[in-house]
Amino acid sequence: ATYSLLKYNQSPNKLYNQYYEVWQPSIITRGVDQEHNMDAIVALYESGNFNQTIDAIDKLLVKEKNNPQLWLLKGCSYMELNKFDQAIAVFRNFDNSTYTFYTETALWYNALCYLKTDKIDEAKKQMQNIANQGNTYSKEAQDILNKMR
């Protein structure tokens, strides 16, 4: 594995730093109660209180366990805390989920986590899947794959 890393144009960590951008959540909610909770969680996230964001999400997930925006925010919060293995575990919730915008975003951030943690084979596989889907992140995924060849 070490030899293959040396032949890349750019290291996985450098690629991560080049392509990673903090996710900017949009407020898409369904009810007054949930809207209030979601606004508070997004405010925590946007103010950089990532541990508090995770705690608030965990409380809301008891009632909203299938809310993809919550799972995505939780995974991104772990990334901001440099807890990439925890982020990967959260993003795995999207592996077999119904396709949504949140799914494609979560799979993108999951691939970046694989890059950051030098899980090269997993990163390549995830990037190839993203590149093949023709979604929001397909061009970036293909760019990364080209730089890893």
Side-chain angles (χ1 to χ4, degrees):
T2 305
Y3 170 74
S4 64
L5 285 176
L6 295 175
K7 70 179 186 177
Y8 292 149
N9 293 333
Q10 295 183 9
S11 72
N13 195 53
K14 189 173 181 181
L15 286 170
Y16 172 87
N17 291 333
Q18 182 179 348
Y19 285 90
Y20 175 73
E21 291 181 11
V22 176
W23 184 60
Q24 301 298 317
S26 58
I27 304 291
I28 300 173
T29 56
R30 290 188 305 267
V32 175
D33 222 19
Q34 183 194 8
E35 185 175 323
H36 174 71
N37 289 331
M38 205 62 202
D39 285 348
I41 289 170
V42 169
L44 285 170
Y45 177 84
E46 289 178 340
S47 65
N49 294 311
F50 301 112
N51 283 313
Q52 290 176 327
T53 301
I54 292 167
D55 291 342
I57 288 170
D58 286 341
K59 289 175 185 161
L60 193 53
L61 279 172
V62 172
K63 295 184 281 186
E64 293 276 333
K65 68 177 182 245
N66 294 320
N67 183 325
Q69 188 178 18
L70 289 174
W71 286 108
L72 182 57
L73 269 170
K74 185 174 181 178
C76 290
S77 294
Y78 277 126
M79 289 179 76
E80 289 299 313
L81 294 168
N82 294 315
K83 295 181 177 181
F84 297 100
D85 289 330
Q86 289 96 324
I88 289 169
V90 169
F91 292 139
R92 283 193 184 122
N93 286 294
F94 290 90
D95 285 349
N96 297 311
S97 70
T98 304
Y99 182 82
T100 69
F101 168 76
Y102 298 115
T103 304
E104 71 182 50
T105 303
L107 296 177
W108 167 249
Y109 281 112
N110 193 34
L112 290 175
C113 286
Y114 286 141
L115 270 182
K116 184 68 174 177
T117 56
D118 288 325
K119 295 175 180 160
I120 305 307
D121 290 339
E122 292 95 333
K124 283 183 171 181
K125 182 180 174 188
Q126 189 81 50
M127 290 293 177
Q128 190 62 61
N129 288 340
I130 293 167
N132 292 342
Q133 288 176 357
N135 69 33
T136 307
Y137 301 98
S138 293
K139 181 187 179 314
E140 290 89 345
Q142 190 60 58
D143 289 347
I144 289 173
L145 286 168
N146 291 340
K147 291 175 182 178
M148 293 179 75
R149 286 186 167 59

